[in-house]
Amino acid sequence: MKIALIGGTGFVGTAVLEELLQRGHQVTALARDPAKYTAREGLKAVTADALDAAQVADAVRGQDAVISAYNPGWTEPDIYNVFLKGTRAIVDGVKRAGTKRLLVVGGAGSLFVAPGVQGVDTPTFPAEWKQGALAARDALNEIRNETTLDWTFLSPAAILEPGPRTGTFRLGADQLLMNGDAPAKISAADLAVAIVDEIETPKHVQKRFTAAY
């Protein structure tokens, strides 16, 4: 497949790029600075700013699917507003390009930890992650109103960490997956497997899902 990747130099995006190339997909990676990518077979890096819908549209036109692992970075002082601006521009750009399939990687904070209670609203939610988590939740709520795209929103496990690719994990819907009394984990490599599986064999069109060990 021809797949456009946004955020391919980040923690999740790097793993997604590796998974896509290993499976033989043709990847167009969007970046403000394409030189950040090392030349590889199957990879084309193009100049595009994720905050500019017109640039996104030009870059993803003709692709079979778009994967967005966009995140402005946890050190961004205005992460809430920048995250939402970027996500809105990406959705708008994909629509302008006429590409139907979009998978957005969001956060775990919007997963439910009790009836009617999302993790980001609990008093123990880490303050340093809160603005980004709130932005990801609002992005999900906006995407849920999107009817023209075949979108999917993936929330990772509460603990997303480096680790091996095992190919073995559980899928869920809107509830935080647990390991006994503790939040479950997943490696970025296995989250990438879940992402590419969903692109190749869609099972959560216009839905959110989660993945964890």
Side-chain angles (χ1 to χ4, degrees):
M1 296 174 67
K2 294 187 294 182
I3 299 172
L5 175 62
I6 301 169
T9 59
F11 181 53
V12 173
T14 299
V16 173
L17 176 60
E18 190 64 33
E19 186 70 22
L20 287 169
L21 293 176
Q22 288 295 325
R23 297 198 198 189
H25 295 290
Q26 298 298 308
V27 180
T28 297
L30 283 63
R32 289 180 180 175
D33 180 9
K36 290 183 178 180
Y37 288 96
T38 302
R40 298 177 63 181
E41 184 177 354
L43 172 63
K44 178 175 72 172
V46 298
T47 303
D49 186 345
L51 297 173
D52 187 318
Q55 292 186 32
V56 172
D58 287 343
V60 307
R61 191 169 285 113
Q63 300 293 303
D64 297 314
V66 179
I67 298 172
S68 174
Y70 170 76
N71 188 316
W74 293 104
T75 59
E76 164 60 53
D78 194 23
I79 188 171
Y80 176 85
N81 289 309
V82 178
F83 186 101
L84 276 178
K85 182 180 180 181
T87 304
R88 288 166 179 162
I90 290 164
V91 171
D92 187 17
V94 172
K95 289 168 67 174
R96 291 191 202 182
T99 302
K100 294 284 289 182
R101 186 75 172 115
L102 170 64
L103 188 150
V104 175
V105 183
S110 60
L111 292 166
F112 287 90
V113 296
V117 180
Q118 292 173 313
V120 69
D121 293 325
T122 60
T124 57
F125 194 87
E128 63 268 29
W129 311 119
K130 187 153 188 172
Q131 290 306 307
L134 289 172
R137 176 172 70 181
D138 288 350
L140 169 60
N141 289 335
E142 291 184 12
I143 289 171
R144 279 179 162 150
N145 294 320
E146 180 56 57
T147 58
T148 61
L149 294 177
D150 293 333
W151 60 267
T152 298
F153 192 98
L154 172 58
S155 288
I159 301 172
L160 178 62
E161 57 188 10
R165 180 194 188 281
T166 70
T168 302
F169 45 83
R170 298 174 286 154
L171 299 182
D174 290 315
Q175 280 69 44
L176 183 72
L177 295 177
M178 302 291 288
N179 182 10
D181 294 331
K185 303 178 179 182
I186 195 167
S187 71
D190 276 331
L191 188 70
V193 175
I195 290 166
V196 182
D197 284 351
E198 175 64 25
I199 289 294
E200 292 181 345
T201 309
K203 295 180 180 178
H204 303 92
V205 175
Q206 296 190 346
K207 295 178 182 178
R208 186 254 291 271
F209 77 107
T210 186
Y213 295 133

